[in-house]
Amino acid sequence: MAWNTNLRWRLPLTCLLLQAALVVLFGVFVRYSPDADAHWMEEKGSLNVSSDLDNEFYYRYPSFQDVHVMIFVGFGFLMTFLQRYGYSSVGFNFLLAAFGIQWALLMQGWLHSYHDGYIFVGVENLINADFCVGSVCVAFGALLGKVSPLQLLVMTLFQVTLFSVNEFILLSLLKVKDAGGSMTIHTFGAYFGLTVTWILYRPNLYQSKERQSAVYHSDLFAMIGTLFLWMYWPSFNSAVSNHGDAQHRAAINTYCSLAACVLTVVALSSALHKKGKLDMVHIQNATLAGGVAVGTAAEMMLMPYGSLIVGFICGIISTLGFVYLTPFLESRLRIQDTCGIHNLHGIPGIIGGIVGAVTAACANVHTYGPEGLAHAFDFELGDANWSASMQGSFQAAGIFVSLAMALVGGIFVGIILKLPIWGQPADENCFDDTIYWEVPEDEKNEVFHPEDPTLKPSEP
């Protein structure tokens, strides 16, 4: 079926209406946190703080910068592997992230930072908004090349809302520890995106199959995204941890898990190829699975060797997923996962939740110390109502809550996005920038031919 992909009025009106609504809501509800307000000078005196360096900005902003780069550069360029979809990969990621962080500041603010009729915004709120949008970027990976920018804006509106509710249930009601978002960000984002793409199944997508592959330079651009994500993932997992040992530990655990994951992926990628060659898809994606899987337990006493084991296991499972599971999902379950988010975020996210539950259940005074245990799991020292086994049970429950929210929400949003009003591309026009972007003429007419070694340049 042919759709009307001309968005001349629909896209501008949607963007402007959304931004106008956000301006009004920010004007009514959002104010600076004490650390960002001009009354900080008075605040310092009441808190007996002598230096501006004690402002939260100086503790959190370096981590915020790293997370911000991951969302806009890392995720954006990771998805540029499609040979004719580079503009859309980076540009649509930019669009949904810019809208998403504004809506996330409101949604998370109403649930976590709402006092006396206002949402008080500081640098930690910015980090959490980026985390929320990271979940949307994950879901975008499953839909890459098959949806319009209007569909992405609608999806972002609903997903940010559902993410914020799910996060509130896990962190505030169940008191789950999930520093790096294995459950709240990766598990929720992956299975939400997979459910939406299942609802939006395209039976004739094979008509665009030739554009669903990569070329040399597009894979190279995608590798830039991989490297940015890989380098900054320790900051991602430790960004909102408590100052001191917890944040320090989260960075070390993530660092070790990522490193182990790379060696494992390279080994398995070569072993699974009949000529022992490496597959760039595995190197771009599966090498990041260790950062996803260590997220929940990042600030716990997982120990460095435990982090290496997590990275090792996830490197194996993620690579096997790209080789065997992705084709199975498409052929048998009608799930067309463009970027393989099930292997990078879905399964590693569940593994991360399990690792977090086991690690929490094994927590004890000998390992943490009395004060360290209370500080790590946010309970009052001597509280008889808290136990490690109960914490482990709540951690495990968080996995199922995230999955339920993702599946139910994904079905609901998928049905909305299936309506023929969003300017989505036809099956034969998927994975092509020219549908929504003005592309240089030489790119429009470019045809890729295999190099003929018998042809030689003419003599001068």
Side-chain angles (χ1 to χ4, degrees):
M1 181 182 293
W3 307 104
N4 178 12
T5 57
N6 187 334
L7 302 180
R8 185 176 183 185
W9 298 112
R10 285 176 288 178
L11 184 59
L13 282 174
T14 302
C15 289
L16 292 175
L17 285 173
L18 287 173
Q19 191 57 60
L22 288 167
V23 169
V24 173
L25 290 171
F26 267 66
V28 173
F29 291 105
V30 179
R31 298 294 184 270
Y32 295 121
S33 72
D35 284 55
D37 194 88
H39 293 87
W40 165 246
M41 301 304 294
E42 302 164 20
E43 188 78 10
K44 281 197 303 182
S46 64
L47 297 175
N48 292 320
V49 173
S50 60
S51 171
D52 285 333
L53 293 178
D54 291 316
N55 191 294
E56 187 76 0
F57 177 86
Y58 297 100
Y59 289 105
R60 298 292 187 192
Y61 191 73
S63 296
F64 163 70
Q65 284 181 305
D66 294 350
V67 173
H68 216 47
V69 168
M70 288 179 69
I71 299 301
F72 287 90
V73 179
F75 279 109
F77 276 90
L78 181 64
M79 292 184 278
T80 58
F81 67 95
L82 295 171
Q83 58 180 280
R84 304 280 293 175
Y85 211 67
Y87 282 16
S88 300
S89 299
V90 177
F92 291 164
N93 184 80
F94 193 12
L95 172 66
L96 68 85
F99 166 57
I101 56 177
Q102 297 176 77
W103 183 229
L105 284 172
L106 288 166
M107 281 303 306
Q108 292 176 314
W110 282 321
L111 293 171
H112 297 286
S113 310
Y114 191 67
H115 305 290
D116 301 323
Y118 294 112
I119 297 167
F120 293 94
V121 172
V123 68
E124 189 169 341
N125 299 79
L126 307 186
I127 297 172
N128 283 316
D130 274 356
F131 280 173
C132 180
V133 168
S135 179
V136 182
C137 294
V138 169
F140 177 36
L143 303 166
L144 186 69
K146 300 171 293 187
V147 291
S148 71
L150 273 180
Q151 286 175 300
L152 290 173
L153 286 171
V154 173
M155 185 187 80
T156 302
L157 178 68
F158 284 103
Q159 188 177 351
V160 166
T161 304
L162 292 166
F163 174 95
S164 301
V165 173
N166 182 60
E167 181 187 51
F168 177 77
I169 293 171
L170 264 65
L171 303 187
S172 299
L173 301 183
L174 297 179
K175 302 297 182 182
V176 164
K177 304 298 290 182
D178 193 26
S182 295
M183 295 181 287
T184 55
I185 300 172
H186 302 287
T187 300
F188 172 79
Y191 288 100
F192 178 90
L194 291 169
T195 306
V196 171
T197 199
W198 175 63
I199 297 291
L200 300 181
Y201 175 72
R202 291 174 174 268
N204 299 314
L205 192 62
Y206 66 88
Q207 297 175 355
S208 299
K209 201 70 176 178
E210 63 182 23
R211 290 190 298 275
Q212 201 174 349
S213 60
V215 291
Y216 191 85
H217 70 269
S218 66
D219 262 341
L220 196 58
F221 270 110
M223 195 64 197
I224 293 173
T226 299
L227 291 174
F228 270 100
L229 290 170
W230 196 90
M231 289 188 300
Y232 289 135
W233 216 294
S235 294
F236 188 92
N237 283 356
S238 64
V240 293
S241 296
N242 292 327
H243 301 321
D245 63 290
Q247 197 165 40
H248 198 164
R249 193 162 53 246
I252 293 172
N253 286 336
T254 308
Y255 184 94
C256 292
S257 183
L258 285 166
C261 193
V262 172
L263 268 72
T264 310
V265 170
V266 170
L268 209 62
S269 180
S270 177
L272 292 172
H273 192 280
K274 60 184 179 181
K275 294 186 179 180
K277 295 183 178 181
L278 299 174
D279 189 326
M280 197 55 153
V281 172
H282 307 158
I283 307 305
Q284 288 166 355
N285 295 280
T287 53
L288 301 171
V292 174
V294 81
T296 296
E299 61 185 11
M300 300 180 194
M301 291 289 286
L302 182 60
M303 306 307 290
Y305 71 86
S307 303
L308 293 176
I309 293 172
V310 171
F312 175 79
I313 293 172
C314 277
I316 294 173
I317 293 175
S318 183
T319 308
L320 289 173
F322 278 102
V323 176
Y324 300 111
L325 193 54
T326 298
F328 173 82
L329 291 177
E330 183 166 353
S331 62
R332 301 295 183 184
L333 301 183
R334 308 202 323 167
I335 297 175
Q336 297 161 326
D337 182 5
T338 306
C339 291
I341 65 168
H342 191 229
N343 313 309
L344 171 54
H345 300 279
I347 298 175
I350 291 176
I351 292 173
I354 294 171
V355 171
V358 172
T359 308
C362 294
N364 55 68
V365 174
H366 175 73
T367 305
Y368 287 81
E371 293 185 12
L373 186 64
H375 186 62
F377 293 100
D378 294 328
F379 67 91
E380 294 293 330
L381 192 62
D383 185 354
N385 294 321
W386 185 93
S387 69
S389 60
M390 182 169 56
Q391 181 69 38
S393 300
F394 282 133
Q395 295 285 148
I399 302 173
F400 295 101
V401 173
S402 294
L403 285 172
M405 289 287 291
L407 297 176
V408 175
I411 291 172
F412 173 73
V413 175
I415 292 171
I416 293 175
L417 297 185
K418 203 172 179 67
L419 298 173
I421 60 174
W422 308 116
Q424 51 265 57
D427 289 356
E428 64 270 17
N429 293 326
C430 290
F431 314 114
D432 193 343
D433 275 337
T434 59
I435 303 300
Y436 301 113
W437 295 86
E438 184 63 33
V439 178
E441 287 297 324
D442 57 339
E443 289 293 328
K444 291 180 184 178
N445 302 322
E446 184 178 5
V447 178
F448 294 97
H449 298 288
E451 184 179 348
D452 185 352
T454 63
L455 297 177
K456 296 181 179 179
S458 57
E459 295 292 335

